[in-house]
Amino acid sequence: MSASDPAVSSSSRAARELGDLLASIEVNDNWPAVETTAQTLANGLRIRGGPVDEHTALGKTFLPQTLTSLLKAALKGPRVPDETRATAVFELLRVGANLCMDHNDNRGQLLDAGFPQVVVSLLEGYAESLPEIPSQQPLPLSNSHLRIVKTAIGALLNLSLGYEPVQTRLISLEVPVTLLRISIAIYPPGAWMAAGETDTEPIDMESWLVRKGISEWSWRAISSLKDNQAQQPLFGPESLPSLVLPLKAFVPPFPVPVNSLYADANIRTSLFVTDVENLEEVSELLETLTMDVEDVRHALARGMALNAEPPCLAFMLDFIGSAEYVPGWLDADTSPNEVARWKHAVDLCKTAVIKAVVETAGEEDNVDILWDDTFPENGFVMRMTKWLRDAQDVGPGGVRDDLIICATLSLGNLVRREHHSIALVKPPISVISGLVTLLTPATDIKVKHGVIGLLKHLAQSPSNRPVLGETHVLEALRSSEIFGNKADVAEIVQMSAINLSKHLCTNNVTNAITCVLDAEDEQFSTSCLSQVLALSRRSDSVPVKSEGARVLVNVVKSLCSSSGDLQERRRQLAIQAVTSLDSANALTQLLGRSKKHVILLNESIVAMALLAHQPKGAVFVLDAVVAELPKEISPPSRQNSIDVPSVSAPGAAAGSDLVSPVVASSTAIDMFTLILKNTEGKFPMELRTNLCALLGELGRESLKEESGGRDREVERVREATRPLLEVAQVTPESLVLSAAARKALETWR
């Protein structure tokens, strides 16, 4: 060692002296000497890049073990050092932090010596004094203890950044949870604005800057550990009180800041930045935790239902509903670009918290927890429905899209029980009229996603369909332009609209008529059904094509087979409108692409049979049956084109999960023969029986004359299916099937 290198030699001497002090510390309790020696060593280790690699040399000595043992001795008994040892602990932490900065070998040596574990124990000692419910008042700590906390966090940062062994150990010790609690307690975002001072007791600006540093370093350490632990969440339900506290800093009323912190433009801006960064961090964590951790979703719901303290989910709703940009941002000497970034951050955080709320409502076990049939005013359901009513009451420029999105998606997740669905439609809640007013061409597509999704879920209850029809839901859909070309980028919303139409027309003549006919001229050209079928024809998506055809199926079944007066004028107009070649083609194409979906096969055949019984209907069906089916190729789905929280869709109708078409038969006749042969035994008797009824209509002798010379087409149907019908009429499998096949053959004579 060169005597001409005083920094190196002083560091080595200080390291040896720390070893000597350790040997006698239990006897003489000489912590001032430890402080002085450690300070010399820490300062020396700040110097890097000299002629001698002092960091590596010292790391190979007993220094890591000495530091660990001295820290343990200083923290013997209470894990928080008293004032006689606080400065020594601070300097020892500085030595450890500087020794391992950007030095993996020394990080490993300190880990082997147990140094990180002792630092964690120190921080846990401070965490033990924190209140169970986080407060917006900063934890009272002297500056010396604030510096210890900050330096301990800095040491953990230097130990763990980019070094997986230490990161893994810190995660196993639940360090992120400890850091979160300490950070939020020491620096509650926004609390600095309310800090008071007088002429005789000025504000301690140094204290607040150290608190700010603790917050920043804590989040940096948490982010580093989060990146290392991609598969397993670092937080659980116990962290929710700390995670929601920063949200309150952005909810009025705001304090009127008159202190020195606010008066100093540079400090004010830096504290605003820290507040916004806290908001960004907790919002992201709330979103990811509700997506990934079932216990978090349960805890949020139970806490609101049981009025637990703190009311974490209620805080989240308060933030969504009432958060504002902090008035102090508009101060004249604040950069406009900085303010714009802060505002954008708040908007993004609101979106993240909305997603967290929707995920919480989407948890199956939370449905009955969040739904309270007494409907308390501050309960989850009433807060959601209030947001919808408020949206209905304000003018066009005052509608809060974010509230509508959160309310509709959350309620959509809760109406999976039929009695819940009915309750939203009936008084005193009655949300339908408010939802309908939002279905306009100018409405944002994300709002339409939530509104249409909720209406779709409500329409699954048969008792709700008449009410939805009377409230003009189909008319609103027709004029909303959701089925138009411009909305094709939002396939998931179009699919919801298609399914909403499908449910409304199920066993409901009035809704089916409304779906088919225009409002004024009673024509078909711009009706809801015509728009759905036009979308189906131009779309390359198999789900869109198939579900669009299923709207037609339900319309035909309601118009042609439901009870009521079949001769009623508007009903007859609607039947005439759907009795067309376009309808028949849509049904045969549904048949051709649905080989693997028995329900869809049966639906298409039943609808074709009903159409075939209408005047000229059999001719249209015959033409469609003998025509070549299009070859369909499904491209990647566009359903994720908009970034919105998902709504669970339990009990989705069969066929809605289609993602690619089966290679289509060349004509529907080929599909008929495949079904009648039933080689693999997967086509049920009911399906084959319904097919026999359809074939009876398509092969009857009188159709040749009615069709104006389509003798060859009728014969094609007969030739392809007669042998199979003859087999079916003598099959012992089913008397019903035998009778249906026999009746079809008799009709042909």
Side-chain angles (χ1 to χ4, degrees), residues 299-314:
L300 285 170
R302 286 195 300 266
M304 187 161 196
L306 301 175
N307 295 316
E309 289 293 336
C312 297
L313 184 54

Side-chain angles (χ1 to χ4, degrees), residues 41 128-129 138 146-147 184 200 218 226 362 367 392 397 421 494 499 523 563 566 568 578 672 678 714 726:
L41 179 54
E128 286 176 354
S129 65
L146 288 173
R147 285 193 293 268
I184 297 299
T200 57
S218 294
K226 186 170 58 177
V367 172
Q392 183 182 4
S421 176
Q494 290 181 325
N499 282 305
Q523 297 300 308
S563 60
L566 280 170
E568 192 269 328
V578 297
F672 291 165
N678 195 28
V714 173
E726 290 173 345

Side-chain angles (χ1 to χ4, degrees), residues 1 6-18 41 54 57-58:
M1 185 177 298
V8 171
S9 61
S10 64
S11 296
S12 299
R13 285 196 304 272
R16 289 194 298 271
E17 289 173 12
L18 280 180
L41 179 54
E54 187 75 358
L58 288 174

